[in-house]
Amino acid sequence: KINRVHMNFSEVIDQFGENFIAIKRGLAVNMQAIKRIQGGAVILSDGESHVLSRGRKDEFIELYTKYVTEHQS
């Protein structure tokens, strides 16, 4: 049996929890997996690199900075 659920991408991200953030359309990452932000790209702890969407870049940096500030050990 297949169950279909219609949700927009932001609703899907919300289901994963507050640690997840959209990098670009259809791609979200766990902020714990972000190693660094270099130029316009997010570098993950596994070495993967993803270019930030121009439209989301400022919001992403703001949310990620807030996350890092709140979770510093």
Side-chain angles (χ1 to χ4, degrees):
K1 181 178 179 180
I2 296 174
N3 293 320
R4 294 180 189 254
V5 178
H6 295 280
M7 302 172 100
N8 67 38
F9 190 62
S10 62
E11 291 171 329
V12 172
I13 292 172
D14 290 344
Q15 295 294 314
F16 285 112
E18 65 183 30
N19 288 348
F20 281 80
I21 188 169
I23 290 181
K24 56 186 173 183
R25 186 173 163 186
L27 179 62
V29 298
N30 186 332
M31 288 190 271
Q32 295 174 331
I34 296 173
K35 186 174 181 180
R36 68 182 182 275
I37 300 170
Q38 184 174 339
V42 175
I43 313 300
L44 302 178
S45 57
D46 66 359
E48 259 187 67
S49 174
H50 297 280
V51 176
L52 284 166
S53 153
R54 285 182 299 209
R56 295 183 195 260
K57 185 177 179 180
D58 291 340
E59 178 186 10
F60 174 87
I61 291 172
E62 180 181 325
L63 291 172
Y64 183 65
T65 300
K66 181 180 176 187
Y67 171 83
V68 170
T69 302
E70 292 174 355
H71 291 87
Q72 286 180 346
S73 332

